[in-house]
């Protein structure tokens, strides 16, 4: 009898809680999003190796502004030595306006085995959405900037001087939701300077596995017009990663 009274009392206390939180309740969307991924890497061009890579992206998107930060790391070694070591940081702050946004952007790259071992780029400008729907997003950015390049040392030039150049940066960003669980993303960036110019294409395909986990295939191709002696103009990185999204 006492046990029945206790069970009845607990059920009476629990019923109001279920009434306050319906079964189909979902948390409201957050302004903050984060992605963490890691996986296998294939390098061709100035480096020939395979190993791990990692990427972290943080986004804080409100009605007034959008803050984005991305950190990438690539590391590889063979049985004798390290063959690839590269770190990249990208930061962008955008202030939203009617019909577009103004932005400030910084990118820093340290590449131990690249044609340029240090690349620092600062730029600002204007961007706008050409297409913005639930399935398709396409935006363009343009603006002036400044780039610092430190070439890799060679036998003929063991202590190269850094190149400092004013640039015009243009970028096109495309995102397409193919199906409920798959999406395709592509970013094309051109940096035109008096002394050197670059063209970078970054593409990835994501397939949701379950909940917040996804499989991602990515390709990054960068073409540099002027490179040091014994360096290739095109670098390609192909990645196969497992990605987790925080929202």
């Amino acid at each position: 009898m006492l046990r029945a009274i206790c069970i009845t009392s607990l059920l009476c206390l629990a019923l109001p809680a279920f009434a306050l939180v319906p079964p189909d309740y979902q948390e409201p969307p957050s302004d903050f999003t984060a992605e963490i991924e890691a996986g296998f890497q294939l390098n061709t061009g100035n480096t020939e190796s395979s190993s791990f890579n990692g990427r972290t992206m943080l986004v804080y998107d409100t009605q007034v502004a959008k803050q984005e930060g991305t950190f990438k790391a690539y590391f590889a070694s063979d049985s004798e030595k390290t063959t690839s070591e590269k770190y990249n940081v990208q930061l962008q702050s955008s202030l939203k306006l009617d019909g577009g946004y103004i932005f400030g952007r910084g990118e820093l790259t340290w590449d131990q085995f690249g044609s340029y071992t240090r690349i620092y780029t600062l730029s600002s400008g204007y961007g706008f959405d050409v297409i913005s729907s639930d399935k398709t997003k396409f935006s363009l950015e343009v603006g002036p900037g400044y780039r610092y390049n430190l070439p890799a040392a060679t036998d003929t030039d063991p202590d190269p001087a850094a190149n400092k150049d004013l640039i015009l940066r243009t970028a096109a960003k495309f995102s397409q939701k193919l199906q409920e669980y798959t999406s395709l993303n592509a970013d094309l960036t051109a940096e035109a300077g008096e002394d050197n110019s670059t063209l970078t294409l970054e593409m990835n395909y994501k397939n949701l596995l379950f909940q917040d986990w996804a499989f991602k295939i990515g390709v990054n191709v960068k073409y540099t017009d002027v490179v040091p002696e014994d360096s290739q103009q095109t670098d390609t990185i192909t990645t196969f990663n497992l990605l987790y999204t925080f929202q």
Side-chain angles (χ1 to χ4, degrees), residues 93-131:
S93 179
S94 303
L95 178 63
K96 298 180 181 179
L97 306 172
D98 291 338
Y101 57 92
I102 56 175
F103 69 88
R105 186 178 186 277
E107 181 172 354
L108 299 85
T109 301
W110 299 268
D111 191 353
Q112 186 66 24
F113 296 89
S115 57
Y116 291 91
T117 58
R118 301 289 186 273
I119 305 173
Y120 308 144
T121 305
L122 297 174
S123 62
S124 62
Y126 179 78
F128 61 96
D129 294 328
V130 180
I131 302 174

Side-chain angles (χ1 to χ4, degrees), residues 147 163-168 191-197 225-226:
R147 182 177 57 216
N163 172 260
K164 303 172 183 178
D165 205 3
L166 295 177
I167 62 171
L168 176 66
E191 294 178 358
E194 182 179 356
D195 299 328
N196 204 351
S197 298
D225 188 32
V226 180

